[in-house]
Amino acid sequence: MNLPIIITVIDLSISLFVLMLSFFVFRQNPTRDINRIFSLTILAFASWIISSSLSDIAGFNGSEFGALFWARAAIVGPFLFCPLFLYFTYFFPRENNPPSRRKLVALFLIPVFSVIFSPTKYNVESVTLESWGTGFVPGYLYLALLT
């Protein structure tokens, strides 16, 4: 086995662990807001890892279309992870302080709007298939997330 494949196997193993953690927390008490929000936060994180790994797997198999699709999908997790984590902080460690609807809309407006543009060239312009995985040229939306 070469190193990129080992790293991909490790990434997918971590994703499986994170998904199990999300499921475990949700199953403890699915009616509590804190459990639901934490599970969604962890799912967003897992989707980021899985999408990045699938982009590399597609690249290893020579599929430029698949690598581009998964490279573009990889941004959805971070877009949602950040506001979900901030929303989670409204409930943890005390559950009695939910934000107003106005704050909630403001919190999720830009990330949800940005997800709409994730499958476009504004997110990832192109990909290159390398021996180590998938390289990409970031678009304006991707660069905006970094700032």
Side-chain angles (χ1 to χ4, degrees):
M1 256 194 212
N2 57 14
L3 188 59
I5 293 174
I6 293 171
I7 291 172
T8 301
V9 168
I10 291 170
D11 285 349
L12 292 175
S13 299
I14 291 169
S15 298
L16 180 62
F17 174 76
V18 169
L19 289 171
M20 289 184 339
L21 174 66
S22 175
F23 179 74
F24 174 75
V25 168
F26 182 75
R27 291 290 297 153
Q28 288 300 311
N29 192 347
T31 60
R32 288 181 64 197
D33 286 337
I34 195 166
N35 290 45
R36 289 185 283 177
I37 296 165
F38 183 76
S39 293
L40 287 173
T41 304
I42 296 302
L43 284 175
F45 181 69
S47 74
W48 180 22
I49 299 171
I50 292 169
S51 298
S52 295
S53 297
L54 290 175
S55 177
D56 287 340
I57 290 170
F60 295 146
N61 292 325
S63 172
E64 191 170 325
F65 174 78
L68 181 61
F69 173 82
W70 289 111
R72 287 178 173 171
I75 200 77
V76 174
F79 271 143
L80 298 177
F81 175 80
C82 296
L84 281 168
F85 184 73
L86 183 58
Y87 186 45
F88 173 75
T89 63
Y90 280 102
F91 294 92
F92 183 81
R94 292 180 303 276
E95 282 192 68
N96 56 4
N97 193 17
S100 66
R101 288 208 188 270
R102 177 178 256 166
K103 282 184 183 178
L104 200 57
V105 167
L107 185 64
F108 284 95
L109 184 65
I110 292 175
V112 169
F113 182 73
S114 298
V115 166
I116 294 169
F117 291 101
S118 66
T120 67
K121 66 177 182 170
Y122 298 112
N123 176 16
V124 174
E125 289 184 15
S126 63
V127 294
T128 56
L129 306 181
E130 306 288 343
S131 62
W132 50 264
T134 303
F136 66 94
V137 176
Y140 296 117
L141 184 63
Y142 194 93
L143 295 172
L145 176 67
L146 294 176
T147 57

